[in-house]
Amino acid sequence: MLEGEFEDTVDAIRTMRIRGAGAIARAAARAMAAAVREGRDIEAARRTLLNTRPSAVSLRNAVEFMYQRATAAGEDPDAVDSAAAEFEAYAAEARAGVVRHGSRLMVDFGRYLTHCNSSAVIDTLVAARRSGRRFEVFATETRPWGQGHLTVQALASAGIETTLIVDSAARHIIATEDIHAVLLGADTVTMAGSLINKVGTASVASAARDHGVPVYVFTETYKFSPAAMGRNPVPIEERPAEEVLPCPIPGVKVRNPVFDVTPPEMVKGIVTEGGIITPSQARAICERIGAGDLSPHVA
Ligand code: RUB
C-alpha cells in the first residue's frame, strides 16, 4: 500500500513508470518537496531517492539542489515548493536551449540513428521537422524494456520518416545506410567527458567511430556530474533478471546492467543549452556544478 506523493513518486521512478534522465530529475525535485510537506525525514528522503536510479546524475543534482534549499529554508514547505518550481523552470529553459542548438545539426535529407528513448533527442528532431526539415531516423528497439518503441511512435506521429531496428542491427545500418550522425541522450556526463547512457550506447558509438559517423550527445548541463571521475564514474544500475528472462532457465545466470560508459574519444559534440561543446569542455561545467551553481549554462 503506497502512502502519499513521496512514496508514489519513489515507486514510479524505481519501476520506470517515470523514466529518462530529465523526467526523473524533475519528479525527484517534486518528491523532495512532497517529503517536506508530508513531514518526512529529509535526510532519509534524499537517500531513498538517490538509490532509485543510481546511474543518473540528473537525479542526484536535482535532489542535492532541493536538499540544500530545504535545509537553508528550515524545511519551510512553501519555500521548498518554490525550489521545486524553480528547478522545473530551469529544466524547461535548459531543454529549450538544447533544442535550439541541436536542431541546427539536422540537415534536409539527413539520416540519423538513435538508441533508447531520449526526450532531448526527440524534442530536437520534432522541432527540426516542424521547422520544415525532412530527414529519416533509425531507432533501436532497446532491449529489454523496448524504449525504442516509444521513440518510433513519437517520431512517426510528428511526421518523421522512421525505421525501427533491433539493437544488434545498429552496426550494419551505420555501415550501409549513409548515416549522417548518431544522436544520443545522457544520464550522466563525467568530468572527463565520458557519457553514461542506456546499455548498448557504447557499442553504437564504437560502430559509428569505425565508420566515421559523428556521435552527438543531447543533454542539459544538470546531467553533468561534479563527482563522476575515473574508469567507473558512477555505479551502473543492475535491474532484475526477470526483465531479461521472464521464465528462469535452470542453471542459467542473468546479468542486466542497464547503462554503459562511452569514452570521450567516441563523442564529437555535446549539445547543451549553452551551445555545442567538445567532451574536453565538460570539466568546466562539472566544476561549476560542483561549486553549487545549478543554473542554465550559457556559453
Ligand atoms: C533512458 C536513457 C536516455 C537518457 C536521457 O534510460 O538512457 O537516453 O535517460 O533521457 P531509462 P532524456 O529508460 O532506463 O530511464 O533525454 O529524456 O533526459
Side-chain angles (χ1 to χ4, degrees):
M1 183 68 176
L2 298 176
E3 301 158 20
E5 186 185 336
F6 176 77
E7 283 294 344
D8 197 20
T9 307
V10 166
D11 185 66
I13 296 174
R14 209 176 259 143
T15 57
M16 292 177 55
R17 279 181 287 126
I18 298 174
R19 45 150 298 283
I24 60 179
R26 295 192 303 277
R30 289 193 300 273
M32 285 293 280
V36 170
R37 256 186 280 112
E38 292 167 11
R40 291 172 184 276
D41 179 319
I42 183 96
E43 187 66 57
R46 170 202 201 189
R47 272 197 311 275
T48 302
L49 279 165
L50 291 181
N51 284 330
T52 52
R53 301 295 309 270
S55 304
V57 162
S58 57
L59 177 136
R60 176 169 291 275
N61 284 338
V63 169
E64 297 303 354
F65 170 81
M66 291 298 296
Y67 180 78
Q68 280 161 23
R69 289 301 179 94
T71 46
E75 300 185 29
D76 170 55
D78 289 341
V80 182
D81 272 339
S82 308
E86 192 186 324
F87 182 80
E88 292 205 68
Y90 152 50
E93 190 187 335
R95 171 58 56 87
V98 170
V99 168
R100 198 169 54 249
H101 294 294
S103 48
R104 293 203 319 257
L105 291 171
M106 300 327 138
V107 296
D108 262 331
F109 308 110
R111 303 178 117 188
Y112 303 96
L113 184 139
T114 189
H115 180 55
C116 195
N117 178 250
S118 159
S119 58
V121 169
I122 291 171
D123 286 356
T124 307
L125 290 167
V126 170
R129 178 70 197 94
R130 285 202 184 124
S131 72
R133 255 153 297 160
R134 295 198 154 272
F135 47 85
E136 179 174 6
V137 180
F138 292 85
T140 58
E141 214 169 19
T142 317
R143 276 276 293 152
W145 267 77
Q147 289 95 330
H149 292 255
L150 300 172
T151 299
V152 293
Q153 275 166 25
L155 297 179
S157 62
I160 295 169
E161 193 179 339
T162 304
T163 305
L164 181 68
I165 58 170
V166 296
D167 299 343
S168 42
R171 179 174 280 272
H172 173 72
I173 294 295
I174 288 169
T176 58
E177 289 292 342
D178 193 20
I179 298 293
H180 283 68
V182 168
L183 315 175
L184 300 164
D187 275 75
T188 295
V189 175
T190 74
M191 281 261 190
S194 296
L195 165 68
I196 286 94
N197 192 50
K198 178 56 54 195
V199 71
T201 295
S203 303
V204 170
S206 115
R209 179 204 49 198
D210 293 350
H211 293 282
V213 173
V215 170
Y216 289 97
V217 179
F218 290 61
T219 174
E220 302 82 359
T221 55
Y222 68 83
K223 298 169 188 164
F224 283 55
S225 171
M229 296 178 79
R231 278 181 70 80
N232 298 304
V234 293
I236 295 297
E237 179 185 354
E238 293 245 2
R239 294 189 60 86
E242 302 75 61
E243 293 182 353
V244 175
L245 194 65
C247 301
I249 300 173
V252 174
K253 289 188 280 190
V254 173
R255 290 282 308 273
N256 187 17
V258 296
F259 294 99
D260 64 18
V261 184
T262 300
E265 312 81 76
M266 292 186 189
V267 174
K268 163 112 179 174
I270 306 176
V271 183
T272 73
E273 65 270 23
I276 303 177
I277 64 168
T278 61
S280 63
Q281 291 174 293
R283 171 173 289 273
I285 294 173
C286 291
E287 281 169 354
R288 189 173 58 74
I289 292 174
D293 179 5
L294 197 65
S295 59
H297 160 71
V298 181

